[in-house]
Amino acid sequence: PPNTLVATTNRHPFLVAMLDSSLPLPVFKHYVVQDAMYLTEFARCLRILSTKAPSEELKKRFEEFAVGAEEAEMSLHKSYFESWGVKPIIGVQDNSAEDGAEKVDFAPCTLMYTSWMLGICSAEDFEYGVASLLACFWVYQYMGDVMLKERAAKRRGEEAYVENEVYSKWIDMYGGEEFEAEVKEYCGIAEQCANNVGDKGRERMKEIFVRGCVLEYLFWDSSLKLSSFPTFE
């Protein structure tokens, strides 16, 4: 992505506040619920791409990516829900739900982002679908790594630094070696796709990737504002 976009994302107020433990918990709760809804649709996109993949190996790998989103990443979100004593209904379309569960709705940005990537994964070629999901992998690994290093520096140099365990779990997840390895593999697949589509195709993939990075930025913006659809009741 453009250097200005990377630099701006590095200093996004949501991420800065997570790192210095000043992010209001209601803002983070809003984000986690919306991100869980996003991950459900993200896994759906990965399965769509699995059906379009050009080899059996890639078909299997994209199914595994989908399971990773549903299990490894969602396990973090579920741990938050359990600690907060909340039971949001994520990805459930009917009225059957356990007692105490709460129906939640997409925030405007979540709906915009997921609809955009679902449209590309469903209607366009495999390579462009890969590009539409690349930002989620790359941005989270990049920011996780940056925040992991900044947290280490704060631990060493700031006697008054008060670390928030809730936010540190997020940093550990996305700054961790396991997630980094998965992202590197996905980036390698994206590079192979770019080599297969020619100059115009590569330009299209780049445009999609940059748009995805912008949507990631807007997702954090939306959470800071506790964005939701008006009810008109």
Side-chain angles (χ1 to χ4, degrees):
N3 289 336
T4 52
L5 176 57
V6 172
T8 304
T9 302
N10 277 352
R11 307 315 302 166
H12 194 290
F14 182 96
L15 301 175
V16 171
M18 275 186 69
L19 194 60
D20 66 18
S21 303
S22 66
L23 185 70
L25 188 57
V27 170
F28 188 67
K29 286 182 176 180
H30 181 275
Y31 160 78
V32 171
V33 169
Q34 290 300 313
D35 197 47
M37 298 178 79
Y38 170 90
L39 283 173
T40 299
E41 300 303 294
F42 186 72
R44 183 179 169 195
C45 287
L46 286 163
R47 288 199 166 91
I48 291 171
L49 293 182
S50 176
T51 68
K52 295 184 173 187
S55 70
E56 289 302 317
E57 181 182 357
L58 280 177
K59 287 180 188 294
K60 180 182 177 182
R61 193 65 190 100
F62 271 76
E63 175 62 30
E64 291 170 346
F65 281 137
V67 172
E70 290 171 332
E71 295 182 0
E73 290 191 69
M74 280 291 282
S75 67
L76 175 66
H77 297 64
K78 288 177 181 177
S79 73
Y80 286 134
F81 297 150
E82 289 174 5
S83 68
W84 296 331
V86 298
K87 298 177 181 178
I89 304 173
I90 304 297
V92 175
Q93 303 302 318
D94 57 33
N95 293 320
S96 60
E98 60 182 298
D99 291 341
E102 178 185 355
K103 184 74 169 70
V104 293
D105 194 12
F106 285 97
C109 185
T110 313
L111 183 60
M112 175 176 65
Y113 192 176
T114 56
S115 298
W116 172 79
M117 65 185 187
L118 278 166
I120 293 175
C121 289
S122 299
E124 299 196 36
D125 291 341
F126 173 77
E127 290 82 3
Y128 305 124
V130 169
S132 74
L133 306 187
L134 179 58
C136 180
F137 281 101
W138 186 85
V139 169
Y140 269 68
Q141 192 276 320
Y142 173 77
M143 288 310 308
D145 185 59
V146 168
M147 294 172 74
L148 196 70
K149 291 174 181 175
E150 290 190 8
R151 186 184 65 183
K154 285 179 176 291
R155 284 173 172 175
R156 291 193 302 268
E158 297 184 20
E159 292 183 9
Y161 178 54
V162 178
E163 189 172 325
N164 186 308
E165 183 180 346
V166 172
Y167 305 150
S168 276
K169 284 172 62 178
W170 187 96
I171 296 171
D172 289 338
M173 170 77 184
Y174 292 107
E177 293 180 358
E178 185 175 342
F179 187 67
E180 179 183 12
E182 186 169 84
V183 172
K184 284 184 176 179
E185 181 183 0
Y186 192 90
C187 287
I189 294 170
E191 288 178 6
Q192 291 173 14
C193 289
N195 291 333
N196 294 338
V197 294
D199 292 341
K200 287 185 178 180
R202 280 191 289 274
E203 190 60 31
R204 170 71 176 143
M205 286 184 68
K206 180 180 177 181
E207 289 173 359
I208 292 171
F209 171 58
V210 172
R211 176 59 56 85
C213 291
V214 172
L215 286 166
E216 290 290 344
Y217 182 92
L218 291 175
F219 198 94
W220 287 315
D221 248 18
S222 172
S223 296
L224 271 181
K225 298 169 183 174
L226 299 175
S227 177
S228 64
F229 281 102
T231 59
F232 300 107
E233 293 179 354

